[in-house]
Amino acid sequence: SSQLRAIRKNMVDIMTKEVATEDLTSLVNKLIPDSIGMDIEKECTDIYPLHDVHIRKVKVLKKPKFDASKLMDIHGEMGGATDENGEIVAVAGEIVEPLIQESD
């Protein structure tokens, strides 16, 4: 039980350190390849050997500041509809009718 407390303390310390220094996009880019889980695994090996450490759930405790320019940078300046290849099909404000799919 003391090992569990020590491992949980290390996990919380590592996660808060990683989250405090990153913005939202870079944090998501760190969560996807599970690099924070690998850091936890390395730090806790002297307490108990851990394997397959993954972050399963992320909870937003404080609403981030809204910046419209950053939002446009993330989602692109055009804001138009795109196809499956990422090519811009229509500019914002244009109405795009979906293609009619024929059934067999």
Side-chain angles (χ1 to χ4, degrees), residues 79-99:
T82 59
D83 63 359
E84 61 274 354
N85 297 327
E87 309 261 336
I88 296 176
V89 177
V91 182
E94 291 182 9
I95 298 174
V96 178
E97 293 284 333
L99 297 174

Side-chain angles (χ1 to χ4, degrees), residues 31-89:
L31 288 172
I32 291 172
D34 211 23
S35 64
I36 298 175
M38 287 184 240
D39 292 342
I40 292 170
E41 204 171 310
K42 288 177 192 170
E43 288 289 321
C44 295
T45 51
D46 55 343
I47 299 169
Y48 191 84
L50 300 176
H51 300 286
D52 297 330
V53 177
H54 302 287
I55 296 176
R56 178 174 46 179
K57 186 176 180 181
V58 178
K59 187 175 186 180
V60 178
L61 298 177
K62 191 169 90 174
K63 187 171 106 174
K65 294 177 184 173
F66 177 73
D67 189 6
S69 63
K70 280 189 180 181
L71 183 69
M72 292 306 289
D73 288 342
I74 293 170
H75 294 291
E77 293 293 327
M78 298 299 285
T82 59
D83 63 359
E84 61 274 354
N85 297 327
E87 309 261 336
I88 296 176
V89 177

